[in-house]
Amino acid sequence: MALPFSRSADFPVDKPGGSPCGNLRADFGCSVHAELRPRGWTGCTVFDCHGAGQQVSQVTFAGEDWRGSPDAARRMFAVFAVMRPVHELLAYVADALDRPETRPVHAELRRARSGLTELAGADADTVLAADVGALRAAVNPALLRAGDLVRACSPRRGPVHRGADLAGARLRGASLRGALLIGADLRDADLRWTDLIGADLRGADLSGADLRGSVYATGTQLAAARGDAATRLPGAVRRPAHWTAEGPASEKAARTAS
């Protein structure tokens, strides 16, 4: 309802923000949920608001129904635009705090988590007054430092490609913060200890790749990529359902997965 999308490889139609999707049922369910990919709704399968939508609808607005109150709906969608990046930052902070290697910045990360959690639980006016750019700027140094601490544990530390355009590239372990990896060939890549915050993995081939211990990898990132049975994932990330259960993997990847 809140977000817009355009007809593309990810969506079969255009939809402006604030208007209901044509697949939205009266009970708020999706009428094509079981067939999203075959019907061309790939963008829906790789979207994750990290709980921001539930927070806005169930907590900030206490279950108020946007269908029965257009004014509340507009306000609700405006709050969601702030809440979504807040919850994304909370997810990254939780990832960093879950790692013993990042202990030197745990105190800073806990302070960030406390501030973000307080904002997420505040009233609509407080959330709307928040400066998302300032929030990111305040939290990013600790997140980046945490990523560096994890990468420092790698016996073969790769190059830094922060913000790089690496579409179609073949890589072997690196810092990939904010990298454009659309269609990249990452088969059998050793991506352990890799910092993936903000990396665009749409269409990337992760067959046989090893992402165990990688930092800030999310389910939505990996769902936008391609993988196989030999792809090794971080412990907190589920294998995307659309990945092949069996697939051609190199002998090296197959041995590693066994």
Side-chain angles (χ1 to χ4, degrees):
M1 183 61 190
L3 298 176
F5 51 73
S6 300
R7 185 170 184 171
S8 62
D10 294 324
F11 298 100
V13 298
D14 295 323
K15 186 192 86 67
S19 66
C21 173
N23 299 318
L24 184 65
R25 298 191 312 232
D27 64 356
F28 298 103
C30 173
S31 63
V32 296
H33 185 73
E35 300 178 297
L36 286 170
R37 282 185 171 271
R39 287 174 175 261
W41 297 89
T42 304
C44 296
T45 69
V46 299
F47 174 77
D48 188 354
C49 69
H50 300 287
Q54 292 89 334
Q55 179 75 17
V56 171
S57 61
Q58 298 173 16
V59 179
T60 313
F61 288 86
E64 186 170 4
D65 186 350
W66 53 263
R67 277 180 166 144
S69 179
D71 290 338
R74 287 188 288 271
R75 188 169 170 79
M76 194 178 295
F77 302 152
V79 170
F80 177 70
V82 178
M83 193 71 75
R84 183 184 171 194
V86 168
H87 274 243
E88 182 181 41
L89 287 171
L90 278 168
Y92 288 141
V93 168
D95 187 346
L97 279 170
D98 199 35
R99 300 169 184 273
E101 308 98 310
T102 63
R103 283 197 183 97
V105 289
H106 274 193
E108 189 175 349
L109 288 167
R110 282 193 291 268
R111 285 194 296 271
R113 181 178 61 185
S114 178
L116 290 167
T117 301
E118 182 178 356
L119 175 60
D123 58 55
D125 287 335
T126 301
V127 175
L128 287 172
D131 184 333
V132 173
L135 287 172
R136 285 198 175 105
V139 178
N140 274 344
L143 292 177
L144 297 180
R145 174 64 177 146
D148 288 339
L149 288 168
V150 174
R151 290 183 62 245
C153 297
S154 172
R156 292 185 302 163
R157 197 169 172 184
V160 174
H161 293 290
R162 182 177 179 184
D165 181 344
L166 298 169
R170 186 172 179 85
L171 304 170
R172 288 292 182 271
S175 173
L176 302 175
R177 297 169 184 166
L180 183 63
L181 292 163
I182 298 174
D185 184 351
L186 298 172
R187 288 174 297 174
D188 304 327
D190 184 355
L191 297 175
R192 289 173 293 174
W193 303 284
T194 297
D195 187 336
L196 290 168
I197 193 167
D200 190 341
L201 293 170
R202 285 177 293 170
D205 191 346
L206 295 171
S207 300
D210 191 346
L211 292 96
R212 291 174 297 169
S214 58
V215 199
Y216 308 130
T218 68
T220 54
Q221 278 178 311
L222 299 186
R226 292 176 290 136
D228 64 6
T231 305
R232 307 299 294 272
L233 301 178
V237 179
R238 292 183 179 181
R239 186 174 303 274
H242 65 278
W243 284 10
T244 53
E246 302 273 345
S250 69
E251 289 185 11
K252 176 181 176 182
R255 288 198 304 271
T256 302
S258 62

